[in-house]
């Protein structure tokens, strides 16, 4: 009986130790995945921040040599044609089932419906989003011509608040009080930034442009979710490639008209600042790739954090490169807008997470108290035993 009990105890201990090792292995594996994802996230934050701030500053420099916001918008949007080829290269490197470009293209076209990409689908589901894309970029560049980069990048962060308001109205998303507060902060920041320059016509026009750009961006995101739903990586790459190709084919006549009407005129092609033009287009392409495909390797919140961090980066660059006055009202307005943006990054169940965290901390404190009490009573019992033994021996 003793041997059987001993064997049973040893067997039970072995099972428990094996399960413990398995749990430990799973925890280590999960922790390693999270650490890897966090490291990728830090790198992604830096890349998103530098590409967005860099494209903004380069666009500002471009206008000093070639003041052509629509031509720059058309040129940078045309670079979207590279999305699907770059995606297909990644598909060949990562996917075990390698498809031909034609096969991959047809598979991604199912995103538009059973019939694929038809003329009707293009003019009803693609062309409107292409116009919103061009409008967003054009208004953003127009704002850069009127006001400094810090104000433009800070005000554009309001598009997160506009997305929430439109999603609440159009998509019937869940109402969240904290996001309403964030939207109010964004609107208050817009008013304060307008007041910071004394309501001059130049600054008011620039602020109007960038708020309209943020609104167009929010409308693009909400309507995309309403009309097309959620897209996979290949489908998103194909969609943006079609937008770039349609921009090149259908809107190439607009820069030509602007050239001949001397609205956006240049003396010769050789005099164009090609380094700045290609730099802006390349950085915007990198930014859009990181924003659209970065969620595959890290958390979406970290990608959004990179956008808001471009505001202080632009502020530092503006401080050393142009005549900008950071008065108290401007600093408070930028801080309020960024705070509202960060509040919008909170998950929907953030209050439940806080409650669960508080409950776990309370349970740990309660389990720690009896252990301490048991330890102290054990010490007292030992002291008494020693005293009685010494008395008995005497």
């Amino acid at each position: 009986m003793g041997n059987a009990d001993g064997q049973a105890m040893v067997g039970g201990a072995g099972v428990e130790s094996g399960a413990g090792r398995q749990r430990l292995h799973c925890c280590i594996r999960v922790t390693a995945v999270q650490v890897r994802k966090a490291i990728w996230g830090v790198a992604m934050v830096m890349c998103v921040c530098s590409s967005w701030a860099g494209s903004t500053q380069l666009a500002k420099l471009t206008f000093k040599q070639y003041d052509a916001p629509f031509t720059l918008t058309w040129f940078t949007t045309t670079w979207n044609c590279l999305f699907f080829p770059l995606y297909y290269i990644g598909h060949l490197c990562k996917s075990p089932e390698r498809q031909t470009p034609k096969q991959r293209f047809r598979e991604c076209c199912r995103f538009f419906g059973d019939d694929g990409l038809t003329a009707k689908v293009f003019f009803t589901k693609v062309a409107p989003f292409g116009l919103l894309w061009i409008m967003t970029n054009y208004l953003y560049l127009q704002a850069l011509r009127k006001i400094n980069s810090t104000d433009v990048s800070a005000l554009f962060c309001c598009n997160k608040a506009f997305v929430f308001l439109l999603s609440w109205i159009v998509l019937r998303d869940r109402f969240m009080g904290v996001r309403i507060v964030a939207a109010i902060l964004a609107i208050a920041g817009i008013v304060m930034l307008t007041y910071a320059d004394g309501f001059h016509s130049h600054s008011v026009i620039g602020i109007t442009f960038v708020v309209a750009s943020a609104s167009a961006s929010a409308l693009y995101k909400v309507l995309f979710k309403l009309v097309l739903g959620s897209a996979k990586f290949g489908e998103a790459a194909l969609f943006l490639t079609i937008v770039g190709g349609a921009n090149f084919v259908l809107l190439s006549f607009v820069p030509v008209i602007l050239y001949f009407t001397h609205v956006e005129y240049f003396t010769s092609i050789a005099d164009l600042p090609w380094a700045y033009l290609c730099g802006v287009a390349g950085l915007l392409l990198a930014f859009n790739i990181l924003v659209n495909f970065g969620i595959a390797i890290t958390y979406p919140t970290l990608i959004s954090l990179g956008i808001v961090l471009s505001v202080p980066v632009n502020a530092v660059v503006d401080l050393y490169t142009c005549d900008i006055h950071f008065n108290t009202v401007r600093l408070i307005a930028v801080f309020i807008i960024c705070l509202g943006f960060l509040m919008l990054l909170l998950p929907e169940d953030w209050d439940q997470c806080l409650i669960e965290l508080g409950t776990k901390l309370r349970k740990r404190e309660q389990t720690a108290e009896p252990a301490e009490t048991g330890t102290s009573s054990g010490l007292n019992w030992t002291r008494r035993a020693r005293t009685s033994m010494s008395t008995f021996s005497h």
Side-chain angles (χ1 to χ4, degrees):
M1 286 291 293
N3 291 336
D5 289 342
Q7 288 173 3
M9 290 173 65
V10 171
V15 171
E16 288 179 2
S17 63
R21 275 198 217 96
Q22 189 175 3
R23 280 198 300 270
L24 180 63
H25 180 67
C26 290
C27 289
I28 292 171
R29 186 169 56 193
V30 169
T31 306
V33 170
Q34 291 175 345
V35 168
R36 194 183 306 117
K37 215 169 184 180
I39 292 171
W40 274 112
V42 172
M44 195 66 62
V45 166
M46 295 175 64
C47 292
V48 168
C49 176
S50 57
S51 60
W52 185 236
S55 62
T56 301
Q57 293 294 332
L58 272 180
K60 193 90 172 174
L61 292 173
T62 304
F63 291 144
K64 293 179 180 179
Q65 299 185 27
Y66 181 47
D67 191 11
F70 188 87
T71 303
L72 183 58
T73 302
W74 172 83
F75 183 74
T76 54
T77 305
T78 303
W79 280 49
N80 282 3
C81 295
L82 298 174
F83 263 100
F84 192 76
L86 292 173
Y87 162 76
Y88 183 72
I89 292 171
H91 165 74
L92 289 178
C93 296
K94 298 292 289 183
S95 179
E97 298 179 2
R98 296 183 179 180
Q99 297 175 318
T100 62
K102 192 174 181 180
Q103 289 174 335
R104 197 64 194 160
F105 177 83
R106 285 180 176 175
E107 186 174 333
C108 293
C109 278
R110 294 176 188 171
F111 172 65
F112 299 107
D114 296 333
D115 298 330
L117 183 63
T118 60
K120 182 182 177 182
V121 168
F122 174 79
F123 285 107
T124 56
K125 293 186 177 181
V126 179
F129 292 104
L131 291 175
L132 282 173
W133 179 284
I134 292 167
M135 189 185 302
T136 300
N137 287 277
Y138 176 71
L139 292 170
Y140 187 87
L141 294 175
Q142 280 284 12
L144 282 175
R145 296 172 65 239
K146 302 291 183 181
I147 56 178
N148 59 73
S149 306
T150 305
D151 292 352
V152 173
S153 57
L155 287 167
F156 192 76
C157 289
C158 295
N159 76 326
K160 200 83 174 174
F162 299 155
V163 168
F164 164 69
L165 292 174
L166 285 172
S167 300
W168 181 39
I169 296 168
V170 178
L171 302 178
R172 305 293 181 184
D173 280 0
R174 177 188 169 190
F175 174 83
M176 289 182 63
V178 67
R179 294 188 177 178
I180 288 291
V181 173
I184 293 170
L185 288 175
I187 295 168
I190 293 170
V191 175
M192 290 182 70
L193 266 182
T194 310
Y195 174 76
D197 288 328
F199 291 98
H200 296 304
S201 60
H202 220 59
S203 62
V204 171
I205 293 170
I207 290 170
T208 305
F209 278 141
V210 70
V211 171
S213 174
S215 304
S217 174
L219 189 62
Y220 174 95
K221 292 175 183 178
V222 173
L223 287 181
F224 189 95
K225 191 173 181 181
L226 178 67
V227 176
L228 296 171
S230 58
K232 298 177 182 177
F233 297 128
E235 296 164 352
L238 178 62
F239 181 84
L240 292 172
T241 300
I242 294 169
V243 168
N247 166 77
F248 179 76
V249 173
L250 300 177
L251 295 179
S252 295
F253 70 95
V254 179
V256 176
I257 292 173
L258 294 174
Y259 170 78
F260 283 110
T261 54
H262 284 250
V263 176
E264 295 183 1
Y265 182 76
F266 57 91
T267 53
S268 66
I269 295 179
D271 293 334
L272 289 174
W274 287 109
Y276 289 159
L277 291 171
C278 294
V280 174
L283 286 172
L284 280 177
L285 178 67
F287 171 77
N288 287 310
I289 288 173
L290 293 170
V291 168
N292 284 281
F293 304 125
I295 56 173
I297 57 175
T298 188
Y299 304 102
T301 305
L302 293 177
I303 297 173
S304 299
L305 189 62
I307 298 173
V308 76
L309 285 177
S310 66
V311 178
V313 172
N314 280 316
V316 172
V317 175
D318 285 347
L319 190 63
Y320 287 99
T321 58
C322 65
D323 188 18
I324 182 173
H325 179 57
F326 285 104
N327 54 23
T328 307
V329 178
R330 174 175 271 114
L331 290 174
I332 293 173
V334 171
F335 174 76
I336 285 174
I337 292 172
C338 294
L339 178 62
F341 185 91
L342 293 175
M343 289 173 68
L344 288 164
L345 297 180
L346 291 173
E348 291 187 356
D349 57 343
W350 67 276
D351 49 348
Q352 294 295 328
C353 293
L354 285 179
I355 293 170
E356 289 177 4
L357 181 62
T359 306
K360 287 180 180 178
L361 290 174
R362 271 201 260 18
K363 283 182 179 178
R364 284 185 181 180
E365 289 176 0
Q366 289 172 1
T367 52
E369 286 175 2
E372 290 176 1
T373 307
T375 306
S376 60
S377 63
L379 289 172
N380 292 334
W381 183 83
T382 307
R383 284 171 190 161
R384 286 174 191 165
R386 284 178 181 173
T387 306
S388 59
M389 287 293 289
S390 60
T391 307
F392 179 77
S393 62
H394 281 101

